[in-house]
Amino acid sequence: MSETQTPSNSTSEKRTRTAAAKVTDPNNIGDIELSDHQRARNEAEGTKRKADNANQNHQSKKKCSKPAAVSATTTPATNSADSTIIKSAIIDLDMISDSEVEDEPKLSPTRDIEYFFDKVTVCGKVKKKCRICKKDLVPDVTTCRRHMQSNHGGRYRNWAAGNNFLSMLPADTVARRKEKEDTQSTLDGHVQSLPPKETVVPYSDALFLEAAIEWLAETNQPADAIHHPKFQNMINIAARATEGVKIPGRKATQRAIIDLFKKNITSLRQWLLSDAVKGTISITCDAWQVGNGDAYFAVTGHWIEEKSGGEWKLEGALLGFTQMSSSHNGIALGCALFRILRRFKILGWVTCDNASNNGTMLHTLGYLVNSHHSRQGMKKWDHVNRHIRCLAHIINLATQALISAHSKASHYDPQSPISHEPNLDAMECDVLGLVRAIVVKVRSSAKRKQAFLDLQLRTNGKALQLLLDMVVCWSSMYTMLHRAEALKAFIKTFIYELSREEKDLTKRRKLDALSLSEQEWIEVDTFIDLLAPADKAQQAFSSEHDPTLHNALPALEKLHNQSTSNLRKQCKQVPTNLKAIITRHQIPMLLDPNQKMAYIKANWSEEEYKKAVVFTEQIFEAHYADINQIASANTLQRAKLTKSNSTLLREVSDDEDDHGPMTQTRESAGNPIKIEPWRSEFNLYLSTIDVVPEGMSIVKWWGSWTSTYPTWSSLARDYLAIMGSLVSSERAFSGGGIVILKCRNRLKSDLVEALQFLKCLIKRNLIFREHATSKTEYRLEEEDIADEVEICEEQQELVRDSTYIDI
């Protein structure tokens, strides 16, 4: 039995095997342990540790109650229990978190403020009072430390060193930060990023067209922008690049625009002062307000330029596009105009409209010009005779007066949609107001405009839309009436259909009242005849590439005569401001070789004709004296008129009256003829039949006759460049409206002026590719700065001058 029991006893003494997958067993500590296993094992160890702690407390109480003999005898038995308790205590200490251990007390980061300052209350406000200088400061840490740095820096640093406190003075903080940046080692200077690998896409027409369309769509360009010569030139230049194209940034582009503007200003000024431009440079100026509220003052210059071989050409350019930050009073406009004219060293005739502030503007300009030190001893500039009133504006005033005599209805105002409707209950029908109301009804919505076009397409192969007149356009009323008269049959049908669709009886009666009778359409035709001369007259002054002032007197007199005749037929009162005959317009008319004095002699009275001759002789004699540098205009020279000259004058003269004021008279035989030195050329031109060939401009004709008529040619240089209207200024404003948009409201005034100036030069092919030298530009820039300072001083003196009563 003993032998059989031995194996069983040996088997029971073997180590019990545990399953590795049993997660609740704390002995499961393999090399690879899942997170779930680890969490389970930690929970099991925590439960066992709590039980051991409870058992340890119980055992300690029992030991204290047992006698010493018993404890001594049980020592071997309790060693294992003590070791277990020690191990569990060690584990408990390891498992205690940092939060369960009490930290050492931290020192306040503002100990310096607490040491040097006391908290006090002054007038109900909390202050910091310095213990050293007893000064009250705001309770701000930074302010207090700045005070210590400025007044008690040494005591502060001594205290910080003695109390193991890092100095928080601003200077010390900046020094530590800089030292840290200097000592920090980086690889920025040694490591370079690899350039991105460039993928070159082969060129194809389809790919270029796609890229161009994307550019058009993204930048809101018109569809024909890719066909513009300047865009094609830019593409051709970029195509010749061998190492890629460097695209400048926004600021670099703006600097380049300003630099190019300054260089072309300098070059244009030198060109205007050169021998190529010998005549007077005429000026047009006007003020304009943008939709965003900014105001600009545009000044254009016009001159006759002499090309090689005696070829003359009328040129013009935008000289200034200045932003007006002040009100549009005469003094401000005069100072702005003086500054622009002084920039180019020019002075001539000035064309502007009839606004009252323009008279003050020219008065101010004359005051600044004549009082300038550079004109000491020179003839004063007469601002009254140098003022050319815009003829298109005069025609507009006359036309508006004519319209107001027939219609009391106001123009269409979107803010007040019914203010333009005429009084339908009046005794006399307002025909012009009815036509304007009809046009507004047709154009009041997209549906009605399309219905009016569809009505025309049902009977005609083409359709026209009615045009609305505007108060600022002198020919808009004529255009509106002319278009309405051509479409009167469709207007009648449209008004009828529109009234039948209206369910409100009151509105239907108003629509029926807008229909014009046959007699009223006859009145419309009569008024079209009244406005036709005004429309033709304003078209005669709408060119800036050809002289226009020589057409002034014939156009205005024709307008006056026709309007007077037509108005008398209707027994209406003639507007007095239609009569605008100005003597200074005679010289440009005489410089037209096709008419000369023929119009004046045929249409003016004998007395007016003689006055015109005397006036022309005075102008010619003074001009002859100027170009020939004669001291006195009354100096007479004795000369004999050769037989050949007298014969020539008789053969080419178209005036058989030898007793006229411009013909030379022969004295008795043997006595010499007394003649002024200028009269031979004067009579030669006026008595000769000259014809300008078809297709040749007057300016070009005078360029070819300079040697024959030197004095008359000099007058042509001065007078034919005078603009009869403000067309050039209005076009500058139209271009400015394209540049100054709502999406470009951050454009500064200097960049706007540079863009407008360069755009004008490019369009007229006046851009200067070769600029002046840097030395010349620097000298001129210094002169400009000195001029600006002097202008500011003169403007301040002008404002303080109490004797300047007229302004």
Side-chain angles (χ1 to χ4, degrees):
M1 291 295 294
S2 60
E3 294 178 358
T4 58
Q5 292 175 354
T6 303
S8 61
N9 294 335
S10 61
T11 305
S12 61
E13 294 176 0
K14 290 183 178 180
R15 181 176 61 83
T16 305
R17 297 180 180 272
T18 58
K22 190 175 182 180
V23 298
T24 59
D25 191 351
N27 294 325
N28 184 18
I29 50 175
D31 294 335
I32 301 177
E33 183 178 28
L34 298 176
S35 60
D36 295 340
H37 292 179
Q38 182 180 8
R39 185 170 59 254
R41 183 167 59 81
N42 292 336
E43 292 177 358
E45 290 179 355
T47 304
K48 185 176 182 301
R49 186 163 55 251
K50 291 180 181 180
D52 291 341
N53 291 336
N55 187 20
Q56 180 181 2
N57 295 333
H58 179 69
Q59 293 293 336
S60 62
K61 291 180 181 180
K62 287 181 65 178
K63 287 180 181 180
C64 294
S65 62
K66 286 183 179 182
V70 177
S71 64
T73 58
T74 59
T75 300
T78 58
N79 287 336
S80 60
D82 293 338
S83 62
T84 304
I85 293 172
I86 295 171
K87 289 181 179 180
S88 63
I90 296 173
I91 294 174
D92 290 340
L93 291 174
D94 293 338
M95 295 298 294
I96 294 175
S97 63
D98 296 337
S99 62
E100 296 175 358
V101 180
E102 294 184 0
D103 296 335
E104 295 182 0
K106 294 183 179 180
L107 298 177
S108 174
T110 59
R111 283 186 297 156
D112 52 347
I113 306 301
E114 297 171 357
Y115 180 80
F116 288 102
F117 294 91
D118 291 329
K119 184 177 181 181
V120 296
T121 302
V122 180
C123 299
K125 295 184 180 180
V126 180
K127 299 285 186 178
K128 289 287 186 179
K129 188 171 186 178
C130 180
R131 294 180 179 177
I132 302 174
C133 62
K134 307 302 180 181
K135 185 176 181 179
D136 295 333
L137 304 174
V138 295
D140 182 70
V141 175
T142 305
T143 303
C144 294
R145 285 171 176 165
R146 287 177 179 173
H147 171 75
M148 295 301 298
Q149 177 178 295
S150 302
N151 301 278
H152 318 294
R155 298 187 62 175
Y156 180 93
R157 291 186 177 91
N158 292 335
W159 175 86
N163 292 272
N164 194 21
F165 184 82
L166 186 63
S167 175
M168 298 303 294
L169 297 180
D172 298 340
T173 305
V174 173
R176 287 195 301 270
R177 187 184 303 113
K178 185 176 181 181
E179 182 181 0
K180 185 177 180 180
E181 292 176 356
D182 295 341
T183 57
Q184 184 178 4
S185 59
T186 60
L187 297 177
D188 295 342
H190 305 282
V191 179
Q192 296 180 357
S193 59
L194 295 176
K197 189 175 181 181
E198 184 179 1
T199 303
V200 180
V201 181
Y203 171 82
S204 65
D205 293 339
L207 185 61
F208 175 76
L209 181 59
E210 182 180 354
I213 292 175
E214 292 177 359
W215 174 71
L216 291 176
E218 182 67 21
T219 58
N220 300 319
Q221 299 292 331
D224 58 347
I226 58 177
H227 299 287
H228 197 277
K230 296 301 179 183
F231 178 80
Q232 296 179 2
N233 183 42
M234 179 183 66
I235 295 299
N236 293 332
I237 293 175
R240 295 194 293 268
T242 58
E243 298 181 356
V245 179
K246 182 180 179 182
I247 306 298
R250 176 176 58 88
K251 292 186 178 180
T253 304
Q254 292 178 355
R255 287 194 300 269
I257 292 174
I258 297 298
D259 292 341
L260 187 61
F261 164 69
K262 291 181 178 179
K263 291 180 180 179
N264 277 273
I265 282 285
T266 304
S267 301
L268 180 60
R269 175 167 55 186
Q270 291 180 336
W271 181 256
L272 294 179
L273 298 177
S274 65
D275 293 336
V277 184
K278 296 180 180 179
T280 304
I281 301 173
S282 300
I283 306 299
T284 69
C285 60
D286 197 7
W288 171 64
Q289 187 170 0
V290 199
N292 59 4
D294 295 339
Y296 286 88
F297 183 63
V299 178
T300 63
H302 304 270
W303 64 91
I304 292 180
E305 186 175 313
E306 186 174 359
K307 307 289 184 180
S308 60
E311 182 181 357
W312 286 10
K313 184 179 180 182
L314 181 62
E315 293 286 2
L318 181 68
L319 303 182
F321 200 80
T322 307
Q323 185 176 5
M324 299 293 296
S325 56
S326 61
S327 60
H328 294 181
N329 56 64
I331 296 179
L333 293 176
C335 294
L337 180 58
F338 178 67
R339 184 178 291 106
I340 294 174
L341 297 182
R342 190 171 181 177
R343 174 196 293 174
F344 292 93
K345 315 294 184 189
I346 59 176
L347 188 65
W349 282 274
V350 181
T351 302
C352 52
D353 56 28
N354 294 324
S356 59
N357 58 347
N358 285 332
T360 309
M361 174 190 70
L362 293 179
H363 198 168
T364 305
L365 177 63
Y367 176 84
L368 294 173
V369 168
N370 296 325
S371 61
H372 195 261
H373 61 83
S374 62
R375 294 185 62 87
Q376 295 294 333
M378 298 178 63
K379 183 180 179 181
K380 288 189 176 183
W381 187 75
D382 188 1
H383 68 278
V384 176
N385 291 326
R386 293 286 180 163
H387 183 192
I388 305 297
R389 303 181 184 274
C390 177
L391 297 177
H393 190 258
I394 294 175
I395 295 175
N396 183 34
L397 294 177
T399 305
Q400 295 301 328
L402 186 63
I403 294 173
S404 62
H406 287 73
S407 174
K408 301 301 180 183
S410 60
H411 286 76
Y412 173 69
D413 184 8
Q415 305 298 330
S416 180
I418 62 174
S419 61
H420 66 280
E421 295 182 357
N423 185 10
L424 301 178
D425 299 331
M427 296 296 296
E428 186 177 356
C429 180
D430 189 350
V431 178
L432 301 182
L434 285 176
V435 176
R436 184 185 292 126
I438 291 173
V439 176
V440 173
K441 291 293 182 184
V442 174
R443 298 175 60 91
S444 60
S445 65
K447 179 181 178 181
R448 290 183 177 179
K449 288 193 292 185
Q450 187 61 40
F452 186 71
L453 295 178
D454 294 339
L455 178 63
Q456 299 178 59
L457 292 175
R458 287 200 297 264
T459 56
N460 271 349
K462 61 179 181 178
L464 298 175
Q465 191 59 267
L466 294 177
L467 302 177
L468 188 63
D469 65 326
M470 296 178 293
V471 66
V472 296
C473 186
W474 45 88
S475 62
S476 58
M477 174 62 76
Y478 171 79
T479 307
M480 181 188 71
L481 296 177
H482 192 272
R483 182 68 61 87
E485 197 274 336
L487 301 174
K488 62 181 180 181
F490 300 103
I491 290 176
K492 183 178 181 180
T493 305
F494 181 80
I495 293 298
Y496 174 79
E497 294 179 356
L498 191 64
S499 62
R500 299 286 76 79
E501 295 176 359
E502 184 60 54
K503 297 180 180 180
D504 191 346
L505 295 179
T506 303
K507 295 182 179 179
R508 179 180 294 183
R509 283 194 294 268
K510 288 184 177 181
L511 290 174
D512 292 336
L514 293 179
S515 181
L516 273 71
S517 62
E518 292 298 330
Q519 182 62 33
E520 290 171 344
W521 280 114
I522 294 175
E523 294 183 14
V524 171
D525 294 339
T526 304
F527 206 84
I528 291 176
D529 295 337
L530 287 174
L531 295 178
D535 182 70
K536 294 179 181 179
Q538 65 91 16
Q539 290 181 4
F541 310 128
S542 299
S543 175
E544 59 175 321
H545 302 286
D546 295 314
T548 59
L549 200 61
H550 66 281
N551 296 322
L553 291 182
L556 290 176
E557 285 192 338
K558 184 177 181 180
L559 174 62
H560 176 263
N561 295 333
Q562 291 182 357
S563 301
T564 303
S565 175
N566 292 330
L567 288 173
R568 283 175 179 171
K569 291 179 182 179
Q570 293 188 334
C571 298
K572 300 288 184 179
Q573 183 181 2
V574 181
T576 56
N577 56 355
L578 263 176
K579 218 169 185 180
I581 306 300
I582 307 173
T583 55
R584 69 175 63 94
H585 293 75
Q586 295 177 10
I587 301 299
M589 183 177 61
L590 296 179
L591 292 172
D592 184 2
N594 292 324
Q595 58 180 353
K596 298 181 182 179
M597 294 290 285
Y599 177 84
I600 296 178
K601 189 173 183 180
N603 295 276
W604 291 13
S605 63
E606 186 67 22
E607 184 180 356
E608 291 174 341
Y609 173 74
K610 292 180 180 180
K611 290 181 179 179
V613 171
V614 173
F615 175 78
T616 306
E617 290 178 347
Q618 293 174 355
I619 296 295
F620 188 88
E621 183 180 3
H623 209 77
Y624 179 86
D626 290 340
I627 64 174
N628 291 278
Q629 298 180 355
I630 299 177
S632 175
N634 297 324
T635 303
L636 300 178
Q637 295 181 355
R638 297 182 177 271
K640 291 183 179 182
L641 183 63
T642 59
K643 183 178 180 180
S644 59
N645 284 339
S646 61
T647 305
L648 176 64
L649 290 177
R650 285 199 305 269
E651 290 175 352
V652 301
S653 177
D654 59 343
D655 186 5
E656 298 297 335
D657 186 8
D658 293 338
H659 301 286
M662 289 186 301
T663 57
Q664 298 174 350
T665 58
R666 182 183 300 274
E667 296 184 358
S668 58
N671 295 328
I673 298 177
K674 296 180 180 180
I675 184 173
E676 294 86 355
W678 49 268
R679 189 168 293 278
S680 59
E681 181 188 350
F682 182 84
N683 292 337
L684 178 63
Y685 169 71
L686 293 178
S687 59
T688 305
I689 301 176
D690 295 313
V691 178
V692 180
E694 185 177 358
M696 178 183 290
S697 65
I698 301 176
V699 175
K700 191 174 182 179
W701 184 89
W702 276 109
S704 60
W705 286 85
T706 306
S707 58
T708 306
Y709 308 119
T711 307
W712 283 107
S713 298
S714 179
L715 284 171
R717 281 197 190 98
D718 293 343
Y719 282 87
L720 292 182
I722 302 175
M723 291 290 104
S725 65
L726 298 176
V727 174
S728 56
S729 298
E730 295 295 336
R731 289 179 178 173
F733 295 148
S734 300
I738 299 174
V739 174
I740 311 171
L741 302 174
K742 292 182 179 180
C743 58
R744 304 179 70 182
N745 54 4
R746 295 178 61 187
L747 280 177
K748 295 184 179 180
S749 58
D750 57 345
L751 192 60
V752 171
E753 183 177 20
L755 290 173
Q756 289 293 99
F757 178 79
L758 293 175
K759 180 167 61 175
C760 178
L761 292 188
I762 292 171
K763 284 186 176 181
R764 295 176 178 272
N765 198 22
L766 293 175
I767 196 75
F768 293 90
R769 303 297 179 184
E770 296 181 0
H771 304 293
T773 61
S774 58
K775 183 177 180 180
T776 304
E777 292 180 359
Y778 181 74
R779 177 178 57 81
L780 294 175
E781 186 174 358
E782 286 185 338
E783 293 179 359
D784 292 340
I785 295 175
D787 290 344
E788 287 293 331
V789 174
E790 189 175 354
I791 289 173
C792 294
E793 294 176 353
E794 291 174 351
Q795 185 173 357
Q796 294 176 1
E797 183 181 356
L798 176 63
V799 175
R800 294 193 302 264
D801 190 0
S802 59
T803 61
Y804 199 50
I805 302 175
D806 294 337
I807 293 183

